[in-house]
Amino acid sequence: LSRTDDSITKVMLHGLSPKPVAELVPLAKSWISPPNVTVQSEGFTSSGYDVTQRAFVFARAGSASSLRLALQATPDSPVFHPALVVKNWGNEIPVLKVDGEKISWGPDYRFGQEYTLDGTDLVIWMNIQSEKPVTVELAGGT
């Protein structure tokens, strides 16, 4: 909930699911109390979690070529299918590693590009669920 003198902004999600409530609790926790994120590489900044996009947002500064970050998941702030937005990534195809393991793009790990007036942003979705910290590395590809 965000308030100003002239407005109130509230983000709500409505929908249906065949899953029982117990299976939806981690998803709700990840949105209500997302894990902290730390950038562990030079040349990138974090804007944290953007509730309106349900994504962690980063910005590339200059010609930095790789982003390493840690999602500090806990049982109260789990990682559940995280999305990352990297502003100014460019047109490079990203190479992804999760916890040191190189990941192939496919149904469980997807990326796309969003073209803006300021450049090309990278959007990544990962089929990951964890209550422990997760390290993500992105590097420019070919």
Side-chain angles (χ1 to χ4, degrees):
L1 184 64
S2 172
R3 294 178 188 239
T4 69
D5 291 340
D6 300 319
S7 69
I8 297 176
T9 301
K10 186 185 279 189
V11 178
M12 298 184 295
L13 178 68
H14 297 277
L16 300 172
S17 174
K19 294 184 178 186
V21 172
E23 288 184 35
L24 297 174
V25 170
L27 173 64
K29 282 183 177 181
S30 75
W31 286 353
I32 294 167
S33 181
N36 289 327
V37 62
T38 55
V39 174
Q40 300 174 336
S41 56
E42 297 292 323
F44 288 87
T45 58
S46 171
S47 299
Y49 186 75
D50 181 351
V51 68
T52 62
Q53 296 185 72
R54 302 282 188 214
F56 296 91
V57 180
F58 306 90
R60 181 184 208 170
S63 61
S65 62
S66 63
L67 168 61
R68 181 181 166 94
L69 62 101
L71 298 170
Q72 303 295 337
T74 67
D76 292 328
S77 297
V79 167
F80 192 97
H81 299 170
L84 311 175
V85 175
V86 185
K87 296 184 177 292
N88 261 346
W89 178 261
N91 294 317
E92 299 173 12
I93 296 172
V95 175
L96 174 68
K97 287 184 181 179
V98 176
D99 290 333
E101 180 182 337
K102 186 174 179 186
I103 302 297
S104 297
W105 298 112
D108 289 334
Y109 297 89
R110 302 175 189 174
F111 82 93
Q113 295 168 319
E114 183 177 16
Y115 302 100
T116 70
L117 293 174
D118 298 322
T120 303
D121 298 346
L122 175 67
V123 180
I124 292 180
W125 177 85
M126 299 176 284
N127 186 10
I128 298 173
Q129 298 178 36
S130 180
E131 293 182 345
K132 297 178 182 177
V134 175
T135 300
V136 177
E137 297 174 70
L138 288 170
T142 56

